[in-house]
């Protein structure tokens, strides 16, 4: 809530308290998550060096305690960081690795990463491919939604994100804007 309100100092203070609690209670996976949130706060601030350090510490903890399930989420966070650093090729590599490791039935996460890839592609030159990727991602999410038995999940699918911290909707808007700027106005309007 503090992040959504833009109160980054308060969000960071509380998150550091949460991290201290989890470190003290030796709840390692929760401590890793707290570091990821601190990295996201730093990314929102534009403090990419701090974000990188938080992810480095989280990665070190994951390796030290052999938490393979956290490797993918850290890869995703690294991709977001590389994108913010202007390293589109590195971000693309990380996002493609993340996508390859996702389960086929993980509809929201697959949509999320495909949108991020489409945004990079549209901005860096291949707008037609980006438009097709974005259309396929949206179609995939619609198929996933239709397969859900819970009507609430179907309704909320577009309100969620694989990872809520940070620019949840901004990357989708950037992808659409990049398509429009690269001559793909019909595809942008469709999305």
């Amino acid at each position: 809530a503090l992040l959504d309100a833009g109160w980054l100092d308060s969000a960071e203070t509380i998150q550091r308290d949460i991290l201290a609690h989890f470190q003290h209670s030796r709840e390692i996976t929760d401590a890793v998550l707290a570091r990821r949130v601190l990295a996201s706060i730093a990314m929102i601030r534009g403090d990419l060096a701090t974000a990188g350090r938080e992810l480095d510490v989280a990665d070190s903890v994951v390796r030290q305690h052999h938490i393979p399930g956290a490797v993918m989420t850290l890869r995703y966070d690294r991709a977001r960081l590389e994108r913010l650093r202007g390293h589109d090729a590195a971000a693309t590599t990380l996002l493609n690795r993340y996508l390859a490791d996702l389960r086929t039935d993980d509809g929201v996460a697959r949509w999320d990463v495909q949108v991020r890839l489409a945004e990079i592609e549209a901005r860096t030159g291949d707008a037609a491919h980006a438009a097709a990727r974005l259309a396929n991602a949206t179609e995939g999410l619609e198929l996933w939604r239709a397969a859900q038995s819970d009507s609430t999940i179907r309704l909320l699918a577009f309100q969620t994100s694989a990872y809520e911290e940070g620019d949840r909707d901004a990357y989708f808007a950037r992808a659409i804007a990049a398509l429009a700027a690269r001559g793909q106005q019909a595809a942008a309007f469709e999305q």
Side-chain angles (χ1 to χ4, degrees):
L2 293 170
L3 279 175
D4 287 343
W7 297 350
L8 300 180
D9 291 341
S10 297
E12 181 179 359
T13 298
I14 288 174
Q15 196 61 38
R16 291 215 177 273
D17 289 345
I18 291 168
L19 173 61
H21 166 76
F22 287 139
Q23 287 175 321
H24 178 73
S25 63
R26 308 252 331 124
E27 296 174 65
I28 304 302
T29 56
D30 290 322
V32 169
L33 176 59
R35 292 259 182 218
R36 291 183 57 234
V37 173
L38 287 168
S40 289
I41 292 169
M43 284 186 237
I44 292 167
R45 280 195 168 122
D47 185 354
L48 305 185
T50 296
R53 284 191 298 275
E54 291 294 349
L55 293 178
D56 288 345
V57 172
D59 186 58
S60 175
V61 170
V62 164
R63 291 181 194 290
Q64 177 185 357
H65 293 280
H66 308 290
I67 309 170
V71 171
M72 278 181 59
T73 56
L74 286 172
R75 186 177 298 140
Y76 180 87
D77 291 337
R78 288 268 182 212
R80 288 178 50 226
L81 180 58
E82 290 304 318
R83 159 65 180 82
L84 291 171
R85 287 178 171 159
H87 303 153
D88 289 330
T92 298
T93 298
L94 289 166
L95 288 170
N96 279 320
R97 286 181 60 204
Y98 173 78
L99 182 62
D101 289 341
L102 280 175
R103 292 186 343 250
T104 58
D105 64 345
D106 198 341
V108 174
R110 294 184 79 74
W111 178 82
D112 184 282
V113 73
Q114 293 280 22
V115 170
R116 289 184 184 275
L117 285 165
E119 185 270 332
I120 292 170
E121 290 169 349
R123 231 180 352 86
T124 59
D126 195 350
H129 187 263
R133 181 188 292 274
L134 203 54
N136 288 336
T138 301
E139 181 181 330
L141 185 58
E142 285 292 351
L143 290 171
W144 175 83
R145 277 179 27 149
Q148 301 309 303
S149 60
D150 185 328
S151 63
T152 303
I153 291 175
R154 287 193 308 270
L155 290 172
L156 297 177
F158 283 107
Q159 295 177 11
T160 189
S161 176
Y163 304 102
E164 291 292 326
E165 301 90 17
D167 61 349
R168 189 184 69 151
D169 297 322
Y171 62 93
F172 187 59
R174 283 193 306 266
I176 293 169
L179 286 177
R182 295 289 197 156
Q184 296 291 322
Q185 291 86 359
F189 184 74
E190 177 78 20
Q191 290 302 313

